[in-house]
Each structure stands twice: as structure tokens, then as C-alpha cells.
């Protein structure tokens, strides 16, 4: 399972959804879908832009947890 920690990084950087949306160049709706973990995919260019805007790495935003079967 992939956990999205975008909200955590945004809080650490004290940046709003609207501000990040403007910087990254994607809609607040799409960013919100990503932030809430409902996204099924993310483009590398989008991930790159988010990482640049938040001064972080993809590992700060995306976390892997094994499913307990």
C-alpha cells in the first residue's frame, strides 16, 4: 500500500493547497485528490514539481507499507 504524506509536508512547509497548486501548475481539485490519497497515479513531472516547491524528496511524500494479508 502506498501512503501519501503530502498533507504532512505541506504543513511542515506552511503552504496552502491553493499556493502549492499555483506553484506546481495543477488544479486544486487534482492536488486535493493526491493529498487525500485517492489518486491512482502521479506523473513524474508533477511529483518533481511538488518536490521542488516543497524542497523535499519523493520519499518524503510517498511511503510504502506492506499489506498485512
Amino acid at each position: 500500500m502506498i501512503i501519501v504524506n503530502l498533507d504532512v509536508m505541506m504543513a511542515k512547509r506552511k503552504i496552502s493547497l491553493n499556493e502549492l497548486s499555483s506553484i506546481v501548475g495543477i488544479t486544486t481539485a487534482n492536488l486535493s485528490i493526491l493529498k487525500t490519497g485517492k489518486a491512482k497515479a502521479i506523473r513524474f513531472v508533477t511529483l518533481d514539481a511538488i518536490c521542488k516547491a516543497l524542497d523535499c524528496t519523493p520519499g518524503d511524500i510517498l511511503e510504502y507499507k506492506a499489506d498485512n494479508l
Side-chain angles (χ1 to χ4, degrees):
M1 167 175 16
I2 303 295
I3 311 245
V4 180
N5 294 315
L6 181 57
D7 55 343
V8 174
M9 287 307 300
M10 288 173 60
K12 285 182 180 178
R13 302 299 191 250
K14 296 179 180 156
I15 189 169
S16 71
L17 190 67
N18 288 332
E19 189 177 356
L20 185 59
S21 172
S22 294
I23 295 168
V24 173
I26 63 173
T27 65
T28 55
N30 285 337
L31 198 54
S32 180
I33 290 169
L34 180 60
K35 185 178 124 178
T36 58
K38 295 179 182 175
K40 300 292 181 197
I42 184 171
R43 292 180 175 187
F44 284 138
V45 292
T46 302
L47 185 58
D48 180 60
I50 291 170
C51 288
K52 284 179 184 171
L54 296 176
D55 189 27
C56 66
T57 67
D60 294 324
I61 297 171
L62 302 174
E63 176 184 351
Y64 173 77
K65 283 199 177 177
D67 291 333
N68 293 334
L69 299 176

